[in-house]
């Protein structure tokens, strides 16, 4: 496993715009699987459903090891922002974390690093863990800009007050999300090492202890290899988190 294994790993599922009330049955299977203990006693497991299900899942997860998070938040605590949701609203219904800066927000909604940082600060204000996503496009990767892009996103998106307790970084190469493609373990190692070094420069010792997740077509068949890479402290899982069997298969990468 990672040489930073003293950092408690996190396996988080991002359901994106998927899931009706009936779909909570899959999340409850994950919740119930965590009762068995074993490897899951030493890692954190999270599911981030759509906003319509955050409260219901948080209520169902009470007293269990399953953490519930949101998928986005507005920088402001309230106001005339039709259709948006504040970090305080997520916290109010039981969320403990929120994803910010996902590539699908950066590219679909034109979010810039400064906006992502403001959302992360909002998460901290509400007492939530901010999961800040970074990652390059296929075009950027092709011309050798991966480390430049990721470094810029980190510098612009990570608040100065970020700590290992209130912030998680997720590296998700945009070209690998939902495509079935993944970088090699050597490629992942290079980027995660660069992220660790950048965090150290940005926020000092807190950066050395911060969790860095890998995301992008993570599935049971490749999870163990990816999770064993140095400076990979868990996974941000997309489609494979929608089915309990697949998600639990990824969690099992931390089995004995």
């Amino acid at each position: 496993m990672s040489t930073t294994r003293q950092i408690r790993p996190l396996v988080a599922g991002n359901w994106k715009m998927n899931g009706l009330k009936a779909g909570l049955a899959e999340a409850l299977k994950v919740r119930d699987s965590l009762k068995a203990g074993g490897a899951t006693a030493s890692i954190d497991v999270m599911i981030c459903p759509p906003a319509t299900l955050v409260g219901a899942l948080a209520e169902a997860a009470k007293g269990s090891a399953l953490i519930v998070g949101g998928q986005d938040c507005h920088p402001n605590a309230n106001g005339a922002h039709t259709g948006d949701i504040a970090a305080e609203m997520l916290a109010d219904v039981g969320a403990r974390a929120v994803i910010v800066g996902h590539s699908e927000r950066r590219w679909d909604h034109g979010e810039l690093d400064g906006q992502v940082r403001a959302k992360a600060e909002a998460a901290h204000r509400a007492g939530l863990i901010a999961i800040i996503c970074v990652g390059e496009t296929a075009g950027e990767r092709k011309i050798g800009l991966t480390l430049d892009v990721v470094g810029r996103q980190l510098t612009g998106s990570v608040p100065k007050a970020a700590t290992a307790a209130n912030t998680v970084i997720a590296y998700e190469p945009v070209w690998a999300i939902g495509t079935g493609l993944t970088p090699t373990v050597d490629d992942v190692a290079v980027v995660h090492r660069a992220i660790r070094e950048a965090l150290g420069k940005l926020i000092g010792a807190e950066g050395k202890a911060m969790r860095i997740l890998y995301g992008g077509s993570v599935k049971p068949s490749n999870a163990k290899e990816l999770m064993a890479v140095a400076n990979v402290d868990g996974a941000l899982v997309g489609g494979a988190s929608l089915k309990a069997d697949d998600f639990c298969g990824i969690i099992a990468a931390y089995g004995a």
Side-chain angles (χ1 to χ4, degrees), residues 211-232:
R211 291 185 280 197
I212 306 172
L213 313 184
Y214 171 75
S217 295
V218 180
K219 44 190 177 288
S221 61
N222 63 17
K224 187 171 183 178
E225 183 179 40
L226 289 167
M227 297 307 100
V229 176
N231 292 304
V232 173

Side-chain angles (χ1 to χ4, degrees), residues 99-104 106-107 113 116 131-137 140 146-158 167-175 177 191-192 194-196 198-199 202 211-216 236:
I99 299 168
V100 297
H102 192 280
S103 64
E104 290 158 2
R106 290 178 184 268
W107 304 117
D113 295 333
V116 176
I131 301 176
I132 302 173
C133 299
V134 297
E136 81 284 7
T137 65
E140 291 164 339
T146 294
L147 297 187
D148 291 334
V149 170
V150 170
R152 172 184 56 75
Q153 290 176 338
L154 287 170
T155 299
S157 303
V158 176
T167 304
V168 173
I169 304 300
Y171 168 57
E172 290 200 310
V174 178
W175 53 272
I177 298 173
V191 178
H192 277 245
I195 291 173
R196 180 73 64 201
L199 289 173
L202 286 171
R211 291 185 280 197
I212 306 172
L213 313 184
Y214 171 75
L236 182 58

Side-chain angles (χ1 to χ4, degrees), residues 24 29 32 71 74 76 79-80 95 154 161 170-171 174-176 204 212 254:
L24 285 177
K29 290 178 184 177
D32 293 344
Q71 295 179 17
H74 193 279
N76 294 352
L154 287 170
Y171 168 57
V174 178
W175 53 272
I212 306 172
Y254 288 98

